[in-house]
Amino acid sequence: KIFAAVELRCGHQYCKACVLSLKRYDILDDELCAECRTAVPMPGMPDDLFDRGVRIVMVVQRRVELRKSGSWQNLSPELQAQMDMVREMWTEAADQDHYKAQVSLADLYADGMGVPKSETTAVEWRRTAAE
């Protein structure tokens, strides 16, 4: 069986199944491209991706709560970058059929937490989770 390649932000491509296998046995560094050593998030195991995203969301949520408005609108560039990373990690986990990531993405879009508020996208993720 031929597995699809995954392209890292640095442009290098790897077999996704191979990367996941190497990560499973802690052979591959989580955050560095094996070829150019550029810091890039590597494709991960769905549970790991989801858990890392949860930790980031908790920190961002606390910072949002401390803002005067308490609103998720107009996040600082730093907070927006963190939420973009969460969305990417949860999307990758959701694409690997991780139920909690699918439901969490639906919640992000339903509430507009670091993403454009979209009931349509929220419903799509809820349907995917229900399948």
Side-chain angles (χ1 to χ4, degrees):
K1 182 175 180 179
I2 297 174
F3 294 98
V6 62
E7 184 170 327
L8 305 179
R9 288 185 185 157
C10 61
H12 291 112
Q13 294 183 351
Y14 296 93
C15 168
K16 187 171 187 174
C18 297
V19 170
L20 294 175
S21 194
L22 292 171
K23 281 184 56 91
R24 183 176 293 123
Y25 297 106
D26 290 327
I27 297 170
L28 187 63
D29 189 321
D30 275 345
E31 302 299 330
L32 296 177
C33 171
E35 194 165 337
C36 67
R37 307 307 290 168
T38 300
V40 290
M42 296 294 244
M45 303 301 294
D47 288 335
D48 294 339
L49 291 166
F50 178 72
D51 292 343
R52 287 171 55 199
V54 167
R55 287 191 296 274
I56 294 169
V57 166
M58 291 173 69
V59 171
V60 172
Q61 187 167 19
R62 179 67 180 140
R63 293 194 50 198
V64 167
E65 289 169 356
L66 293 173
R67 294 169 68 185
K68 288 181 183 180
S69 68
S71 169
W72 284 87
Q73 302 303 314
N74 302 316
L75 295 177
S76 70
E78 174 194 354
L79 294 181
Q80 186 60 57
Q82 290 177 357
M83 289 306 295
D84 291 344
M85 188 182 326
V86 168
R87 181 183 38 77
E88 290 172 18
M89 287 188 290
W90 283 357
T91 300
E92 185 177 334
D95 289 344
Q96 297 177 57
D97 298 323
H98 192 279
Y99 173 78
K100 288 181 183 178
Q102 294 166 342
V103 171
S104 295
L105 280 166
D107 292 342
L108 285 185
Y109 283 100
D111 297 333
M113 296 171 61
V115 296
K117 190 171 186 170
S118 171
E119 200 57 45
T120 303
T121 305
V123 168
E124 289 172 7
W125 279 117
R126 290 194 201 293
R127 281 191 182 130
T128 300
E131 292 174 353

